[in-house]
Amino acid sequence: MAIHCDVAVLGGGTGGYIAAIRAAQAGKQVVIIEQDKLGGTCLHRGCIPSKALLRSAELYAQMKNSEEYGIASSEVTLVYPKVQQRKQAIVDQLHKGVQALMRKNKIQVIEGRGRVIGPSIFSPKSGAVAVELNNDEMETVVPANLIIATGSRPRTLAGLQPDGVHVLSSDEALTLEELPASILIVGGGVIGVEWASLLHDFGVRVTLVEAVDQLLPSEDGEISRELRKQLERRGITVMTGVKVLAETYETTKQGIQISIQDGEKNERLEADKLLVSIGRQANVENIGLENTDIALTKEGYIRVNEQMQTTEPHIYAIGDCIGGLQLAHAASHEGLIAVGHMTGETSHTYEESQVPRCVYTRPEVASVGYTEQEAKKKGRNTKTAKVPFAAIGKALVQGEKEGFLKLVADADTDDLIGVQIIGAHATELIAQAALAQLLDASPWEIGQAVFAHPSLSEIFGEAALAVDGRALNL
């Protein structure tokens, strides 16, 4: 017998299970179909495990420099197997929590690989899901509405496919039992710079190469230049505007060698291992889209409208498989929008400019809304302010004075349209800017708020004043 339900979610990652919970809260009968583990990439191969490693790396670096704080320490030893054990314990604990949430909300979880099927004896329209269960049996789920949340996987580079030994993706890097002495990282986007930061803090010799002329290509140019300066100051070799010649790759007794092209000059690089971090590719193959009228974008993502509907109105899609900001919290927000629309509870639409973008390097990078460059391309007349953390007392107390906050406002409407931060705890501070964006706040309104002293959050209030020439501590 087929399983009939109100809402089925194909993919139990962060976006998928959050959507399922909201649908259950709305009184819907919900089924999640997941072929691996609830929590998806974010919990098992992305956000959580990588941030656990980053935290260990950050603490290790701080302990090695504790004399700056007047604390003399003897030998500080990295025990990497214990770092990995801590990472896995965190993942396991959160995984159990997600499973408990499914039970609490009476959501049925089916373990297996799902494939959307067309009109059949089960349903007069496409959207039913045939599931190959993990015990090799078959099941059919027939929902009134389907949410596709199949996520993404690391994008590969022709000639440099991961083998888990010499060439790694972020998936393989997360499970390394031993750290290499050196690594070449191809790709200076979010994933590449995070791995460069944490591996260097663990004592690995890092070379980071990026094809375009700046790290974090989609972020503000000043932020990118500051990040590069900080990474290079720590001893990381950064090369931008270079092309990796995959056809020159070869393994050696020591590790790998590959050539890069910088203008008309070629250079041979070598390292113990090579990490490919050139973005992520949507999981849209072999999930039955050909049995539907769902359209894809030219980049290969599922096309959706502002309510996350595909070109088949009863089928929605969220998360990495639709492109855009491939972030866990973006996927969750998209899931809430999809469920709100299908249940008629809300008419809220997706606004990418309200979604924070976070990079967990040392120092951290975070932003929301438009960069100054983006705003000008859209024809906005802008006014900006930049406040260094060195002007904030708490940053000096913390010993974390590097970086700055940049605020971008519309000079005609006085609306806040963007905030970019590079510095300690930037990924926490950006929440204030995201709330201000949601509430359509002006810098003047932000400047009227009372910020605790001493606190890092004072930098936001100071920038709001500085944009109109009213700064108090600059």
Side-chain angles (χ1 to χ4, degrees):
M1 292 290 292
I3 298 173
H4 291 261
C5 62
D6 298 313
V7 179
V9 183
L10 182 57
T14 306
Y17 79 73
I18 290 295
I21 291 171
R22 178 52 54 87
Q25 289 173 341
K28 304 299 182 182
Q29 183 181 0
V30 184
V31 173
I32 281 185
I33 302 154
E34 170 56 50
Q35 68 176 1
D36 189 9
K37 295 180 180 179
L38 288 172
T41 293
C42 174
L43 178 52
H44 299 283
R45 297 177 299 280
C47 315
I48 298 301
S50 65
K51 303 318 170 272
L53 295 182
L54 277 157
R55 174 55 182 153
S56 292
E58 176 188 43
L59 185 58
Y60 183 50
Q62 287 179 334
M63 293 174 70
K64 289 192 294 183
N65 295 298
S66 64
E67 290 190 9
E68 294 180 8
Y69 298 83
I71 302 171
S73 60
S74 56
E75 294 184 13
V76 178
T77 304
L78 175 67
V79 184
Y80 196 67
K82 289 190 176 181
V83 171
Q84 287 283 22
Q85 289 171 14
R86 177 180 182 272
K87 176 207 76 176
Q88 193 58 46
I90 293 169
V91 170
D92 292 344
Q93 180 178 341
L94 290 172
H95 184 216
K96 290 177 182 177
V98 175
Q99 292 173 313
L101 287 171
M102 298 302 99
R103 294 191 295 270
K104 174 185 175 182
N105 290 281
K106 298 180 174 57
I107 297 168
Q108 182 178 357
V109 179
I110 298 178
E111 297 179 351
R113 180 171 180 82
R115 182 180 175 84
V116 185
I117 58 178
S120 66
I121 60 172
F122 300 109
S123 175
K125 57 186 179 181
S126 60
V129 182
V131 186
E132 183 181 349
L133 304 177
N134 290 344
N135 62 5
D136 294 331
E137 296 182 2
M138 295 295 297
E139 185 66 86
T140 302
V141 178
V142 184
N145 288 287
L146 173 66
I147 299 175
I148 299 174
T150 48
S152 66
R153 61 190 184 275
R155 190 179 297 277
T156 59
L157 191 60
L160 294 175
Q161 284 78 14
D163 59 15
V165 180
H166 298 98
V167 179
L168 313 174
S169 71
S170 56
D171 287 356
E172 290 83 22
L174 282 169
T175 59
L176 284 173
E177 295 180 358
E178 294 182 359
L179 291 169
S182 61
I183 194 164
L184 171 63
I185 300 177
V186 178
V190 175
I191 298 171
V193 295
E194 285 187 351
W195 276 104
S197 182
L198 81 87
L199 288 171
H200 177 269
D201 278 345
F202 280 143
V204 178
R205 189 170 68 256
V206 177
T207 300
L208 176 62
V209 299
E210 165 58 42
V212 302
D213 60 0
Q214 72 170 51
L215 300 179
L216 301 179
S218 62
E219 293 298 334
D220 179 87
E222 288 186 280
I223 293 286
S224 172
R225 290 190 290 275
E226 179 67 18
L227 178 62
R228 177 172 185 162
K229 182 178 75 174
Q230 295 298 333
L231 294 179
E232 290 181 330
R233 181 176 294 173
R234 287 163 53 192
I236 297 170
T237 300
V238 178
M239 308 174 74
T240 57
V242 299
K243 180 181 179 181
V244 173
L245 304 176
E247 67 275 12
T248 69
Y249 166 78
E250 62 179 2
T251 60
T252 66
K253 291 182 179 180
Q254 290 74 33
I256 65 96
Q257 287 187 354
I258 195 167
S259 296
I260 61 168
Q261 185 177 35
D262 185 358
E264 297 181 356
K265 180 182 67 175
N266 286 7
E267 182 178 349
R268 193 73 173 163
L269 302 179
E270 55 184 345
D272 288 353
K273 294 185 184 296
L274 185 150
L275 171 62
V276 177
S277 58
I278 56 171
R280 298 187 64 83
Q281 181 175 343
N283 291 327
V284 295
E285 308 90 349
N286 302 316
I287 60 171
L289 295 185
E290 66 277 8
N291 300 321
T292 73
D293 291 327
I294 291 174
L296 298 180
T297 67
K298 63 181 180 180
E299 295 83 11
Y301 299 109
I302 297 175
R303 188 184 300 278
V304 296
N305 63 17
E306 292 180 335
Q307 288 81 29
M308 304 297 123
Q309 284 177 297
T310 69
T311 42
E312 294 219 23
H314 63 289
I315 302 179
Y316 296 72
I318 64 172
D320 287 7
C321 66
I322 68 170
L325 295 177
Q326 293 181 308
L327 303 167
H329 52 279
S332 297
H333 186 57
E334 291 160 359
L336 298 178
I337 290 172
V339 173
H341 184 261
M342 72 175 62
T343 60
E345 288 191 352
T346 65
S347 58
H348 185 55
T349 58
Y350 180 73
E351 297 288 345
E352 187 172 288
S353 63
Q354 294 179 358
V355 180
R357 309 179 296 275
C358 297
V359 187
Y360 296 82
T361 44
R362 187 170 65 86
E364 292 182 345
V365 174
S367 57
V368 68
Y370 298 130
T371 66
E372 183 180 7
Q373 297 94 327
E374 289 171 335
K376 288 180 176 179
K377 284 182 180 179
K378 292 181 177 294
R380 306 287 285 265
N381 183 21
T382 63
K383 55 182 180 179
T384 65
K386 187 169 73 171
V387 177
F389 275 97
I392 305 301
K394 183 65 178 294
L396 299 181
V397 169
Q398 295 286 106
E400 297 167 324
K401 64 181 182 179
E402 293 80 12
F404 57 86
L405 181 148
K406 184 176 180 179
L407 186 148
V408 184
D410 188 304
D412 299 320
T413 66
D414 202 36
D415 289 332
L416 175 71
I417 57 176
V419 174
Q420 298 87 42
I421 313 174
I422 180 167
H425 311 289
T427 60
E428 301 293 336
L429 293 170
I430 201 63
Q432 298 179 74
L435 179 59
Q437 285 276 100
L438 176 65
L439 298 178
D440 199 22
S442 69
W444 182 89
E445 290 169 321
I446 297 165
Q448 300 313 298
V450 179
F451 292 86
H453 176 77
S455 69
L456 294 177
S457 64
E458 290 179 273
I459 196 171
F460 191 31
E462 194 70 22
L465 294 172
V467 78
D468 289 317
R470 299 170 59 238
L472 299 173
N473 293 285
L474 293 179

PDB file of all heavy atoms in Angstrom, residues 278-300:
ATOM      1  N   ILE A 278      36.029  24.332  -5.002  1.00  0.00           N
ATOM      2  CA  ILE A 278      35.571  25.263  -6.034  1.00  0.00           C
ATOM      3  C   ILE A 278      34.044  25.367  -6.050  1.00  0.00           C
ATOM      4  O   ILE A 278      33.441  25.620  -7.092  1.00  0.00           O
ATOM      5  CB  ILE A 278      36.099  24.846  -7.416  1.00  0.00           C
ATOM      6  CG1 ILE A 278      35.686  23.401  -7.749  1.00  0.00           C
ATOM      7  CG2 ILE A 278      37.613  24.989  -7.481  1.00  0.00           C
ATOM      8  CD1 ILE A 278      35.980  23.006  -9.182  1.00  0.00           C
ATOM      9  N   GLY A 279      33.435  25.205  -4.898  1.00  0.00           N
ATOM     10  CA  GLY A 279      31.987  25.340  -4.803  1.00  0.00           C
ATOM     11  C   GLY A 279      31.278  24.012  -4.739  1.00  0.00           C
ATOM     12  O   GLY A 279      31.893  22.953  -4.612  1.00  0.00           O
ATOM     13  N   ARG A 280      29.944  24.075  -4.838  1.00  0.00           N
ATOM     14  CA  ARG A 280      29.126  22.880  -4.695  1.00  0.00           C
ATOM     15  C   ARG A 280      28.163  22.745  -5.859  1.00  0.00           C
ATOM     16  O   ARG A 280      27.724  23.734  -6.448  1.00  0.00           O
ATOM     17  CB  ARG A 280      28.364  22.907  -3.363  1.00  0.00           C
ATOM     18  CG  ARG A 280      29.312  22.922  -2.160  1.00  0.00           C
ATOM     19  CD  ARG A 280      28.560  22.778  -0.852  1.00  0.00           C
ATOM     20  NE  ARG A 280      27.884  21.501  -0.729  1.00  0.00           N
ATOM     21  CZ  ARG A 280      28.467  20.371  -0.320  1.00  0.00           C
ATOM     22  NH1 ARG A 280      29.753  20.362   0.024  1.00  0.00           N
ATOM     23  NH2 ARG A 280      27.782  19.248  -0.210  1.00  0.00           N
ATOM     24  N   GLN A 281      27.841  21.500  -6.185  1.00  0.00           N
ATOM     25  CA  GLN A 281      26.997  21.165  -7.327  1.00  0.00           C
ATOM     26  C   GLN A 281      25.679  20.589  -6.832  1.00  0.00           C
ATOM     27  O   GLN A 281      25.640  19.740  -5.948  1.00  0.00           O
ATOM     28  CB  GLN A 281      27.728  20.146  -8.208  1.00  0.00           C
ATOM     29  CG  GLN A 281      26.970  19.724  -9.445  1.00  0.00           C
ATOM     30  CD  GLN A 281      27.812  18.814 -10.323  1.00  0.00           C
ATOM     31  OE1 GLN A 281      29.040  18.749 -10.173  1.00  0.00           O
ATOM     32  NE2 GLN A 281      27.171  18.105 -11.237  1.00  0.00           N
ATOM     33  N   ALA A 282      24.570  21.054  -7.423  1.00  0.00           N
ATOM     34  CA  ALA A 282      23.243  20.627  -6.989  1.00  0.00           C
ATOM     35  C   ALA A 282      23.011  19.140  -7.243  1.00  0.00           C
ATOM     36  O   ALA A 282      23.417  18.605  -8.282  1.00  0.00           O
ATOM     37  CB  ALA A 282      22.179  21.442  -7.715  1.00  0.00           C
ATOM     38  N   ASN A 283      22.351  18.489  -6.307  1.00  0.00           N
ATOM     39  CA  ASN A 283      21.951  17.091  -6.468  1.00  0.00           C
ATOM     40  C   ASN A 283      20.582  17.051  -7.148  1.00  0.00           C
ATOM     41  O   ASN A 283      19.534  17.001  -6.494  1.00  0.00           O
ATOM     42  CB  ASN A 283      21.873  16.393  -5.103  1.00  0.00           C
ATOM     43  CG  ASN A 283      23.230  16.214  -4.465  1.00  0.00           C
ATOM     44  OD1 ASN A 283      24.234  16.018  -5.146  1.00  0.00           O
ATOM     45  ND2 ASN A 283      23.285  16.289  -3.148  1.00  0.00           N
ATOM     46  N   VAL A 284      20.591  17.106  -8.462  1.00  0.00           N
ATOM     47  CA  VAL A 284      19.331  17.094  -9.217  1.00  0.00           C
ATOM     48  C   VAL A 284      19.260  15.906 -10.177  1.00  0.00           C
ATOM     49  O   VAL A 284      18.237  15.700 -10.834  1.00  0.00           O
ATOM     50  CB  VAL A 284      19.141  18.415 -10.001  1.00  0.00           C
ATOM     51  CG1 VAL A 284      18.988  19.585  -9.052  1.00  0.00           C
ATOM     52  CG2 VAL A 284      20.298  18.659 -10.967  1.00  0.00           C
ATOM     53  N   GLU A 285      20.339  15.130 -10.247  1.00  0.00           N
ATOM     54  CA  GLU A 285      20.351  13.969 -11.129  1.00  0.00           C
ATOM     55  C   GLU A 285      19.711  12.767 -10.422  1.00  0.00           C
ATOM     56  O   GLU A 285      19.809  12.605  -9.212  1.00  0.00           O
ATOM     57  CB  GLU A 285      21.777  13.595 -11.542  1.00  0.00           C
ATOM     58  CG  GLU A 285      22.595  14.746 -12.119  1.00  0.00           C
ATOM     59  CD  GLU A 285      23.376  15.503 -11.058  1.00  0.00           C
ATOM     60  OE1 GLU A 285      23.136  15.272  -9.854  1.00  0.00           O
ATOM     61  OE2 GLU A 285      24.216  16.340 -11.440  1.00  0.00           O
ATOM     62  N   ASN A 286      19.048  11.933 -11.210  1.00  0.00           N
ATOM     63  CA  ASN A 286      18.512  10.661 -10.723  1.00  0.00           C
ATOM     64  C   ASN A 286      17.524  10.820  -9.568  1.00  0.00           C
ATOM     65  O   ASN A 286      17.435   9.962  -8.692  1.00  0.00           O
ATOM     66  CB  ASN A 286      19.659   9.722 -10.298  1.00  0.00           C
ATOM     67  CG  ASN A 286      20.625   9.440 -11.419  1.00  0.00           C
ATOM     68  OD1 ASN A 286      20.214   9.184 -12.554  1.00  0.00           O
ATOM     69  ND2 ASN A 286      21.922   9.513 -11.133  1.00  0.00           N
ATOM     70  N   ILE A 287      16.782  11.952  -9.578  1.00  0.00           N
ATOM     71  CA  ILE A 287      15.719  12.098  -8.571  1.00  0.00           C
ATOM     72  C   ILE A 287      14.354  12.195  -9.252  1.00  0.00           C
ATOM     73  O   ILE A 287      13.358  12.529  -8.618  1.00  0.00           O
ATOM     74  CB  ILE A 287      15.949  13.318  -7.659  1.00  0.00           C
ATOM     75  CG1 ILE A 287      15.981  14.616  -8.466  1.00  0.00           C
ATOM     76  CG2 ILE A 287      17.210  13.146  -6.838  1.00  0.00           C
ATOM     77  CD1 ILE A 287      15.982  15.868  -7.592  1.00  0.00           C
ATOM     78  N   GLY A 288      14.312  11.899 -10.553  1.00  0.00           N
ATOM     79  CA  GLY A 288      13.040  11.815 -11.260  1.00  0.00           C
ATOM     80  C   GLY A 288      12.502  13.108 -11.818  1.00  0.00           C
ATOM     81  O   GLY A 288      11.321  13.175 -12.195  1.00  0.00           O
ATOM     82  N   LEU A 289      13.320  14.133 -11.935  1.00  0.00           N
ATOM     83  CA  LEU A 289      12.812  15.404 -12.462  1.00  0.00           C
ATOM     84  C   LEU A 289      12.300  15.264 -13.885  1.00  0.00           C
ATOM     85  O   LEU A 289      11.414  16.018 -14.309  1.00  0.00           O
ATOM     86  CB  LEU A 289      13.909  16.471 -12.402  1.00  0.00           C
ATOM     87  CG  LEU A 289      14.400  16.891 -11.011  1.00  0.00           C
ATOM     88  CD1 LEU A 289      15.395  18.030 -11.134  1.00  0.00           C
ATOM     89  CD2 LEU A 289      13.239  17.280 -10.112  1.00  0.00           C
ATOM     90  N   GLU A 290      12.846  14.298 -14.617  1.00  0.00           N
ATOM     91  CA  GLU A 290      12.406  14.096 -16.003  1.00  0.00           C
ATOM     92  C   GLU A 290      10.955  13.602 -16.069  1.00  0.00           C
ATOM     93  O   GLU A 290      10.309  13.658 -17.127  1.00  0.00           O
ATOM     94  CB  GLU A 290      13.324  13.105 -16.722  1.00  0.00           C
ATOM     95  CG  GLU A 290      13.281  11.688 -16.194  1.00  0.00           C
ATOM     96  CD  GLU A 290      14.178  11.455 -14.975  1.00  0.00           C
ATOM     97  OE1 GLU A 290      14.724  12.438 -14.439  1.00  0.00           O
ATOM     98  OE2 GLU A 290      14.317  10.279 -14.567  1.00  0.00           O
ATOM     99  N   ASN A 291      10.426  13.132 -14.953  1.00  0.00           N
ATOM    100  CA  ASN A 291       9.034  12.671 -14.896  1.00  0.00           C
ATOM    101  C   ASN A 291       8.069  13.806 -14.556  1.00  0.00           C
ATOM    102  O   ASN A 291       6.874  13.562 -14.366  1.00  0.00           O
ATOM    103  CB  ASN A 291       8.898  11.555 -13.859  1.00  0.00           C
ATOM    104  CG  ASN A 291       9.762  10.352 -14.182  1.00  0.00           C
ATOM    105  OD1 ASN A 291       9.879   9.976 -15.359  1.00  0.00           O
ATOM    106  ND2 ASN A 291      10.369   9.756 -13.184  1.00  0.00           N
ATOM    107  N   THR A 292       8.592  15.011 -14.461  1.00  0.00           N
ATOM    108  CA  THR A 292       7.791  16.175 -14.111  1.00  0.00           C
ATOM    109  C   THR A 292       7.982  17.263 -15.157  1.00  0.00           C
ATOM    110  O   THR A 292       8.759  17.107 -16.105  1.00  0.00           O
ATOM    111  CB  THR A 292       8.224  16.734 -12.736  1.00  0.00           C
ATOM    112  OG1 THR A 292       9.488  17.394 -12.880  1.00  0.00           O
ATOM    113  CG2 THR A 292       8.349  15.626 -11.696  1.00  0.00           C
ATOM    114  N   ASP A 293       7.286  18.368 -14.963  1.00  0.00           N
ATOM    115  CA  ASP A 293       7.479  19.539 -15.823  1.00  0.00           C
ATOM    116  C   ASP A 293       8.360  20.575 -15.133  1.00  0.00           C
ATOM    117  O   ASP A 293       8.356  21.752 -15.512  1.00  0.00           O
ATOM    118  CB  ASP A 293       6.122  20.171 -16.169  1.00  0.00           C
ATOM    119  CG  ASP A 293       5.293  19.282 -17.089  1.00  0.00           C
ATOM    120  OD1 ASP A 293       5.894  18.579 -17.923  1.00  0.00           O
ATOM    121  OD2 ASP A 293       4.056  19.275 -16.952  1.00  0.00           O
ATOM    122  N   ILE A 294       9.120  20.156 -14.139  1.00  0.00           N
ATOM    123  CA  ILE A 294       9.997  21.066 -13.408  1.00  0.00           C
ATOM    124  C   ILE A 294      11.105  21.559 -14.332  1.00  0.00           C
ATOM    125  O   ILE A 294      11.750  20.770 -15.033  1.00  0.00           O
ATOM    126  CB  ILE A 294      10.595  20.370 -12.171  1.00  0.00           C
ATOM    127  CG1 ILE A 294       9.497  20.119 -11.131  1.00  0.00           C
ATOM    128  CG2 ILE A 294      11.725  21.197 -11.562  1.00  0.00           C
ATOM    129  CD1 ILE A 294       9.957  19.317  -9.941  1.00  0.00           C
ATOM    130  N   ALA A 295      11.343  22.869 -14.312  1.00  0.00           N
ATOM    131  CA  ALA A 295      12.372  23.467 -15.151  1.00  0.00           C
ATOM    132  C   ALA A 295      13.638  23.709 -14.349  1.00  0.00           C
ATOM    133  O   ALA A 295      13.594  23.942 -13.135  1.00  0.00           O
ATOM    134  CB  ALA A 295      11.868  24.801 -15.720  1.00  0.00           C
ATOM    135  N   LEU A 296      14.766  23.637 -15.045  1.00  0.00           N
ATOM    136  CA  LEU A 296      16.060  23.931 -14.446  1.00  0.00           C
ATOM    137  C   LEU A 296      16.587  25.242 -15.008  1.00  0.00           C
ATOM    138  O   LEU A 296      16.261  25.636 -16.118  1.00  0.00           O
ATOM    139  CB  LEU A 296      17.068  22.810 -14.740  1.00  0.00           C
ATOM    140  CG  LEU A 296      16.761  21.415 -14.212  1.00  0.00           C
ATOM    141  CD1 LEU A 296      17.862  20.448 -14.612  1.00  0.00           C
ATOM    142  CD2 LEU A 296      16.585  21.416 -12.704  1.00  0.00           C
ATOM    143  N   THR A 297      17.437  25.910 -14.221  1.00  0.00           N
ATOM    144  CA  THR A 297      18.115  27.101 -14.720  1.00  0.00           C
ATOM    145  C   THR A 297      19.255  26.668 -15.628  1.00  0.00           C
ATOM    146  O   THR A 297      19.631  25.479 -15.674  1.00  0.00           O
ATOM    147  CB  THR A 297      18.675  27.930 -13.563  1.00  0.00           C
ATOM    148  OG1 THR A 297      19.742  27.195 -12.930  1.00  0.00           O
ATOM    149  CG2 THR A 297      17.595  28.242 -12.530  1.00  0.00           C
ATOM    150  N   LYS A 298      19.852  27.610 -16.324  1.00  0.00           N
ATOM    151  CA  LYS A 298      20.961  27.272 -17.205  1.00  0.00           C
ATOM    152  C   LYS A 298      22.167  26.768 -16.427  1.00  0.00           C
ATOM    153  O   LYS A 298      23.030  26.068 -16.976  1.00  0.00           O
ATOM    154  CB  LYS A 298      21.343  28.466 -18.071  1.00  0.00           C
ATOM    155  CG  LYS A 298      21.841  29.670 -17.295  1.00  0.00           C
ATOM    156  CD  LYS A 298      22.182  30.829 -18.222  1.00  0.00           C
ATOM    157  CE  LYS A 298      22.690  32.036 -17.462  1.00  0.00           C
ATOM    158  NZ  LYS A 298      23.012  33.170 -18.378  1.00  0.00           N
ATOM    159  N   GLU A 299      22.231  27.105 -15.126  1.00  0.00           N
ATOM    160  CA  GLU A 299      23.332  26.617 -14.291  1.00  0.00           C
ATOM    161  C   GLU A 299      23.066  25.230 -13.726  1.00  0.00           C
ATOM    162  O   GLU A 299      23.919  24.659 -13.047  1.00  0.00           O
ATOM    163  CB  GLU A 299      23.578  27.588 -13.128  1.00  0.00           C
ATOM    164  CG  GLU A 299      24.063  28.967 -13.535  1.00  0.00           C
ATOM    165  CD  GLU A 299      22.931  29.894 -13.934  1.00  0.00           C
ATOM    166  OE1 GLU A 299      21.752  29.535 -13.691  1.00  0.00           O
ATOM    167  OE2 GLU A 299      23.209  30.962 -14.496  1.00  0.00           O
ATOM    168  N   GLY A 300      21.874  24.675 -13.969  1.00  0.00           N
ATOM    169  CA  GLY A 300      21.567  23.323 -13.518  1.00  0.00           C
ATOM    170  C   GLY A 300      20.869  23.247 -12.180  1.00  0.00           C
ATOM    171  O   GLY A 300      20.816  22.167 -11.565  1.00  0.00           O
TER     172      GLY A 300
END
